[in-house]
Amino acid sequence: LKVNKSLTNIQVHGNQIGVAGGKALAESLQFNATLNTLVLGASGDSNQIGDEGAKAIAESLKVNTTLTCLNLDSNGIGDDGANALAECLKVNTTLTQLYIRRNNLSEAAKQTLRNVASSRNPQLVLNL
């Protein structure tokens, strides 16, 4: 992905890539200039990237300017991962869709994400 010049959509849900796989994808996102959709979870299919994988992806999104849709459903993400994503979304204005359903988020973490999503321009479609 670091040197990819044509791939725009990756769907790797249900592959149990874990934290290491989440971090590897995050590293690639820092350099990738074509990917606009990354699906790591859907309908209960999990990769279990957890908070550490989510935090790594959040860091990469601070510099990535092409990803518009990120699906992190069912990945064992808790409040630490959600809060890191909320922080990165204050900087990243390219991402317009974030799916983070069926994770371990408290109501406070969900509200933090809602607050960031509603204050952004362009607005972020958030699926909790």
Side-chain angles (χ1 to χ4, degrees):
L1 283 177
K2 286 182 183 179
V3 295
N4 168 64
K5 293 189 183 343
S6 61
L7 192 63
T8 60
N9 184 326
I10 294 180
Q11 297 188 25
V12 290
H13 49 85
N15 285 289
Q16 298 296 324
I17 65 171
V19 173
K23 287 182 174 182
L25 284 170
E27 183 181 342
S28 296
L29 286 175
Q30 292 178 15
F31 304 99
N32 182 279
T34 59
L35 194 68
N36 57 44
T37 301
L38 177 59
V39 178
L40 295 180
S43 303
D45 288 337
S46 176
N47 278 304
Q48 293 301 319
I49 66 166
D51 284 334
E52 293 306 310
K55 288 194 273 188
I57 288 172
E59 279 302 307
S60 71
L61 289 178
K62 289 180 180 178
V63 296
N64 179 283
T65 59
T66 59
L67 197 70
T68 60
C69 179
L70 176 61
N71 186 321
L72 297 174
D73 288 351
S74 303
N75 268 284
I77 298 168
D79 288 359
D80 287 346
N83 290 330
L85 287 163
E87 283 302 309
C88 91
L89 292 172
K90 293 176 182 177
V91 177
N92 176 302
T93 57
T94 307
L95 195 71
T96 57
Q97 297 177 61
L98 175 61
Y99 297 82
I100 191 165
R101 299 169 292 197
R102 293 179 297 279
N103 282 289
N104 306 316
L105 308 185
S106 69
E107 281 306 313
K110 289 179 182 179
Q111 191 57 49
T112 298
L113 283 166
R114 285 186 196 105
N115 291 343
V116 171
S118 65
S119 68
R120 284 196 40 215
N121 187 18
Q123 194 162 4
L124 174 71
V125 175
L126 182 61
N127 293 280
L128 295 169

